Amino acid sequence: MTDPLDDIDLMHMGRMCFGHAARRTANLLTRHYNRHLAALGLELTQAQLLAAIAEGSATSASEIARFLGIDRSTLARNLKPLETAGLITRQDQGGRRVLPVLTSAGKNKVIEIHQTWSRAQTEISDLLGPDGAQAVRSHMSALRKAVHILSGEIGTERPNRAGQSAQTISSKSGRQT
C-alpha cells in the first residue's frame, strides 16, 4: 500500500506558493529594517505606526489599523509601548473614539525614523535599481489586488485564468491597494 503523500510534490508546492514566498520575503525585509531601526529602540512595526500617526489623515484608530493592514487588537498592543515611551498620547474624539497623536518626543522620533528608514530603503533600492524597485512594487500591488478580489473586498469580477479582468479594479476605500 502506498502513502497518499507520495503523489504530492511538496517541494514544488513550497517553491510555487505565493503565501510562502511573501512571508519569507516579509521576514527578510523586516529583519533588514529592524537592524537599522534598532539604534532608535524601535522595530519596523512601531516605526510604521508612528509614521501613520504622524501622517495625520486618519480620523480614527480603526483607519490607522486598516492602513497598516492589522486588526484593532494588534494596533492596541502596539500603541501601549509607544505611549509608555512618551511618543504618543491618546486624544479623545468624542464618544468612544480615541485617536493616537504624537507628542513632541514622538515628532522628533519620526524625524529620526525617516532618516534611518531612508538609509535602509536606499540600500535595497540601489541593489534592485530603479526599474527593479518599481517592478517589485507593481507586482506586490497586483498580488494584493488579486487577494482582495478573491476575498470580495474590491471589485466584482474575478480575473480570468490569464489574470485579465474586463473591468478596472477599484477599492471601496479609495486607497491604493
Side-chain angles (χ1 to χ4, degrees):
M1 190 158 163
T2 63
D3 187 336
L5 292 178
D6 292 341
D7 295 334
I8 302 171
D9 185 349
L10 297 170
M11 291 301 286
H12 175 76
M13 184 176 144
R15 284 189 306 272
M16 300 305 292
C17 179
F18 292 117
H20 178 66
R23 183 166 302 280
R24 288 182 65 203
T25 303
N27 288 339
L28 282 169
L29 281 169
T30 299
R31 284 195 300 270
H32 170 75
Y33 285 98
N34 283 349
R35 279 192 300 273
H36 284 270
L37 293 165
L40 303 180
L42 296 170
E43 292 187 347
L44 181 59
T45 53
Q46 295 166 319
Q48 290 172 326
L49 178 51
L50 285 170
I53 294 167
E55 194 273 331
S57 67
T59 59
S60 70
S62 292
E63 249 184 70
I64 294 171
R66 255 190 316 280
F67 175 74
L68 294 173
I70 60 177
D71 59 44
R72 287 276 315 219
S73 62
T74 301
L75 177 66
R77 275 194 313 278
N78 283 302
L79 287 172
K80 286 179 186 173
L82 299 176
E83 190 171 23
T84 301
L87 300 175
I88 64 162
T89 188
R90 296 173 193 246
Q91 187 176 75
D92 188 4
Q93 299 291 301
R96 293 176 37 190
R97 291 180 26 165
V98 177
L99 186 65
V101 294
L102 294 179
T103 62
S104 57
K107 290 177 183 178
N108 291 333
K109 186 63 81 171
V110 169
I111 292 167
E112 292 178 87
I113 288 168
H114 182 259
Q115 293 164 346
T116 303
W117 171 85
S118 293
R119 287 190 296 275
Q121 182 78 2
T122 298
E123 287 178 1
I124 293 172
S125 294
D126 285 352
L127 285 173
L128 293 172
D131 292 340
Q134 186 53 44
V136 168
R137 281 190 283 278
S138 294
H139 285 99
M140 286 192 301
S141 177
L143 184 57
R144 285 190 306 274
K145 285 178 184 176
V147 174
H148 283 302
I149 289 169
L150 293 171
S151 66
E153 292 177 19
I154 61 173
T156 56
E157 186 175 316
R158 288 187 181 188
N160 63 25
R161 290 188 189 272
Q164 301 164 337
S165 176
Q167 78 175 46
T168 302
I169 299 168
S170 62
S171 170
K172 288 180 185 175
S173 68
R175 278 207 165 123
Q176 182 180 4
T177 56

